[in-house]
Amino acid sequence: QVSGMTQGLMNANDAVSMLQIADGTLQSLSEGTDKLNQLSIRMNSGLLNDSQKSALSKEFDAIGRTMQRSVDNASFNGKPLFGSDFDFSLGNSSTGTSLGSFDTSTLDINSQESIAAFSKVVQEQMIEVGSTTNALYSSSNSIIANISATAAAQSQMSDSDITKNVGDFSQADIMSKIAINAQTHQMDRLQSQMSVLVG
């Protein structure tokens, strides 16, 4: 039973790592979308000449291609992240998420509506990733508590050392790692929100 729960905890940690990669890519897309929006606003200035507008279009297209490459290259254990559904088995429970695909060819420097629509999808995906990550942290806490309780009960019955049964998964160590991951994720979210507010 402890072994099964331990594997569930390992699966949860892998899932969090995968979602951190997805979140990093989405952060990059969000920043890129902000730059595209700035270029679009500048493009609509009546003070620009044809040469300046051409340069803005080229910069816009280059940023769009970079954004698309980041989406296409985002993977975990060789599996593409975007345009995929994921189910994470945590032992006695499971959770899942769906990461949609992105197509930057829909972005048009002359259409701020296209940029706003793309940005909305990015923000929705960031919310999905954050929600799933928080659910995994909660499940990890529950699994850790169950491992400790089960190992303690087993220790009392067999008069064996709890540490031996739990193995390398020291509760304090795991809780510390989870806290660090949660704090890092929260800081990333705060920075993203600040960027949106400042922008």
Side-chain angles (χ1 to χ4, degrees):
Q1 194 172 4
V2 169
S3 177
M5 287 187 288
T6 298
Q7 184 59 59
L9 185 62
M10 292 173 67
N11 289 355
N13 287 337
D14 285 344
V16 168
S17 296
M18 186 207 80
L19 290 172
Q20 286 175 336
I21 294 173
D23 189 62
T25 303
L26 291 168
Q27 293 280 355
S28 176
L29 289 180
S30 180
E31 293 169 6
T33 304
D34 288 342
K35 292 177 184 176
L36 295 181
N37 190 51
Q38 291 172 7
L39 292 173
S40 178
I41 293 171
R42 188 174 176 194
M43 181 73 150
N44 291 322
S45 169
L47 301 176
L48 298 179
N49 59 39
D50 290 343
S51 176
Q52 290 170 320
K53 288 184 178 181
S54 176
L56 286 177
S57 291
K58 289 179 181 178
E59 184 178 357
F60 186 96
D61 292 342
I63 292 173
R65 288 192 297 271
T66 299
M67 291 166 63
Q68 189 64 54
R69 278 196 299 272
S70 70
V71 170
D72 296 340
N73 293 333
S75 64
F76 187 80
N77 283 339
K79 182 172 183 177
L81 296 187
F82 295 98
S84 302
D85 296 325
F86 297 93
D87 291 309
F88 312 118
S89 174
L90 308 178
N92 293 332
S93 65
S94 65
T95 189
T97 190
S98 179
L99 300 179
S101 57
F102 290 94
D103 182 6
T104 60
S105 67
T106 62
L107 295 166
D108 182 354
I109 194 170
N110 296 305
S111 170
Q112 286 186 277
E113 291 80 7
S114 71
I115 300 169
F118 189 90
S119 178
K120 181 181 178 183
V121 174
V122 172
Q123 295 301 319
E124 288 172 348
Q125 284 288 272
M126 290 175 77
I127 291 170
E128 171 67 18
V129 168
S131 172
T132 305
T133 301
N134 288 336
L136 287 165
Y137 286 144
S138 178
S139 296
S140 294
N141 287 334
S142 178
I143 292 171
I144 289 168
N146 288 336
I147 288 174
S148 296
T150 304
Q154 182 180 0
S155 177
Q156 289 177 356
M157 290 189 321
S158 63
D159 197 30
S160 62
D161 187 359
I162 294 176
T163 305
K164 179 180 178 182
N165 291 299
V166 178
D168 295 332
F169 286 91
S170 157
Q171 182 175 3
D173 183 51
I174 293 171
M175 289 298 290
S176 174
K177 289 178 181 176
I178 288 175
I180 291 170
N181 283 339
Q183 186 177 18
T184 300
H185 182 73
Q186 288 300 329
M187 287 300 295
D188 288 343
R189 301 292 299 141
L190 284 172
Q191 288 175 358
S192 173
Q193 291 171 358
M194 287 298 295
S195 296
V196 171
L197 289 173
V198 171

